[in-house]
Amino acid sequence: MSDTTHDGGVALGTPPSADEGLSAAQLAARHGLTVSGARPGLFEYMRQLWGRRHFILAFSRAKLTAQYSQAKLGQLWQVVTPLLNACVYYLIFGLILGTREGIPHDVFVPFLVTGVFVFTFTQSSVMAGVRSISGNLGLVRALHFPRASLPISFSLQQLQQLLFSMIVLVAVAVIFGSYPSLSWLLVIPALILQFFFNTGLALVMARLGAKTPDLAQLMPFVMRTWMYASGVMFSIPVMLKDKPAWIADVLQYNPAAVYMDLVRFAMIDGYGSENLPDHVWAVGLGWAVLLGVVGFVYFWKAEERYGRG
């Protein structure tokens, strides 16, 4: 292509580019460029998470080790803290307020300790999930990785902490006459179901906490209310026997109460099936699948927004 100049000369012009007139989005698509940090498809996201499994495990172990690194008793606090809570609840609720009504003394102590340890597993997972994104913004903004790795890792950290606490729980059960038997193996599926439930809930709270950091200040009150409504310190059917039946049903079928009952049934000889709501294993599975799937999808939906202000 040529143009004639004012003095009659001929100037050679540059041919128009094929990119001329295209918008930024069209240019990016033409040259195969993608948005940095764009959300991958759900199955691709799951594949990426599986590829980061070693990071998730290592990160959870590092957090667990660092949690009590400044304390003289170190990792021993993983066991001492929930045990001290159980002692306080026994003094206040068991002795002073008499919430052990209907439960023999040799059953009430392991009943209470089990409730405290198992509920603490859920409570700690939720609280860690709320801060998993907002409390690790430096890591989120510096590196590219599936953000779900963080709340999953924190839930795994709490599971490891619970396993340390189980040493004390086993000792308490034996001291009060509940000896190891085949039923104790039921603890394994019960804790696996609770872990999936906790992880799903932690993923939900991680997304909410990333958008509203002040949620971390509100959650202790929510968790305390949930604890009092879940039968940690008392038997729900006994304490609510004079109330409408639907109230006891609602409280017994709430997930925290379900997982506590499953572990109690597995480990405490005097805590039989008559203390459990109907179809309790199906309910526990349902809660785990529901929160696990919904929580994962809900978190994944906002993947590209984490750490962006």
Side-chain angles (χ1 to χ4, degrees):
M1 181 177 181
S2 61
D3 294 316
T4 303
T5 63
H6 67 280
D7 58 0
V10 177
L12 297 178
T14 303
S17 170
D19 294 339
E20 190 174 334
L22 297 180
S23 66
Q26 292 171 327
L27 279 172
R30 177 180 177 83
H31 294 283
L33 302 180
T34 59
V35 178
S36 176
R39 184 186 71 197
L42 183 59
F43 291 104
E44 172 61 19
Y45 191 66
M46 294 170 65
R47 189 192 66 79
Q48 291 180 11
L49 267 178
W50 177 250
R52 301 297 194 282
R53 62 190 182 278
H54 300 299
F55 162 74
I56 293 172
L57 183 59
F59 189 75
S60 67
R61 287 175 176 171
K63 285 292 184 179
L64 186 63
T65 301
Q67 185 173 359
Y68 300 106
S69 60
Q70 302 301 317
K72 290 185 177 181
L73 294 181
Q75 301 303 309
L76 190 59
W77 281 108
Q78 297 177 41
V79 175
V80 173
T81 300
L83 189 59
L84 288 176
N85 284 333
C87 290
V88 171
Y89 295 146
Y90 176 74
L91 174 64
I92 301 299
F93 293 95
L95 296 182
I96 298 177
L97 298 181
T99 61
R100 60 180 178 176
E101 178 186 351
I103 306 176
H105 182 264
D106 60 340
V107 173
F108 181 75
V109 174
F111 170 94
L112 177 62
V113 174
T114 302
V116 171
F117 282 22
V118 174
F119 185 83
T120 299
F121 178 29
T122 294
Q123 181 182 42
S124 300
S125 298
V126 171
M127 294 305 301
V130 172
R131 300 185 180 93
S132 59
I133 300 297
S134 60
N136 293 277
L137 286 178
L139 183 62
V140 170
R141 290 169 176 169
L143 300 175
H144 177 68
F145 62 96
R147 307 315 189 199
S149 301
L150 293 176
I152 292 174
S153 183
F154 281 111
S155 294
L156 188 58
Q157 174 195 346
Q158 300 309 319
L159 176 61
Q160 295 176 74
Q161 186 159 331
L162 175 66
L163 295 180
F164 281 109
S165 302
M166 291 297 289
I167 299 172
V168 174
L169 181 54
V170 167
V172 170
V174 171
I175 289 172
F176 285 88
S178 296
Y179 299 102
S181 63
L182 288 178
S183 69
W184 283 32
L185 294 177
L186 294 174
V187 170
I188 297 173
L191 292 185
I192 290 174
L193 292 178
Q194 188 182 8
F195 171 72
F196 278 102
F197 170 81
N198 290 354
T199 302
L201 191 54
L203 287 164
V204 171
M205 300 311 300
R207 176 174 171 178
L208 296 176
K211 184 178 181 180
T212 312
D214 286 349
L215 189 62
Q217 308 305 318
L218 176 64
M219 287 311 297
F221 302 99
V222 175
M223 297 306 300
R224 194 173 301 123
T225 302
W226 193 10
M227 179 183 69
Y228 291 146
S230 299
V232 173
M233 294 82 66
F234 58 88
S235 169
I236 293 175
V238 172
M239 295 301 292
L240 298 180
K241 60 181 181 294
D242 298 327
K243 305 296 182 182
W246 67 268
I247 299 178
D249 288 340
V250 169
L251 297 187
Q252 278 194 292
Y253 283 108
N254 100 71
V258 166
Y259 296 123
M260 283 189 291
D261 273 344
L262 290 176
V263 177
R264 285 165 172 165
F265 172 72
M267 297 192 65
I268 304 173
D269 288 346
Y271 198 78
S273 58
E274 68 277 3
N275 297 289
L276 306 180
D278 295 335
H279 312 296
V280 64
W281 282 102
V283 174
L285 176 62
W287 278 119
V289 172
L290 177 64
L291 262 295
V293 173
V294 170
F296 186 79
V297 173
Y298 179 72
F299 183 90
W300 162 76
K301 286 281 190 179
E303 173 73 12
E304 58 194 2
R305 299 203 294 269
Y306 299 127
R308 292 183 180 252

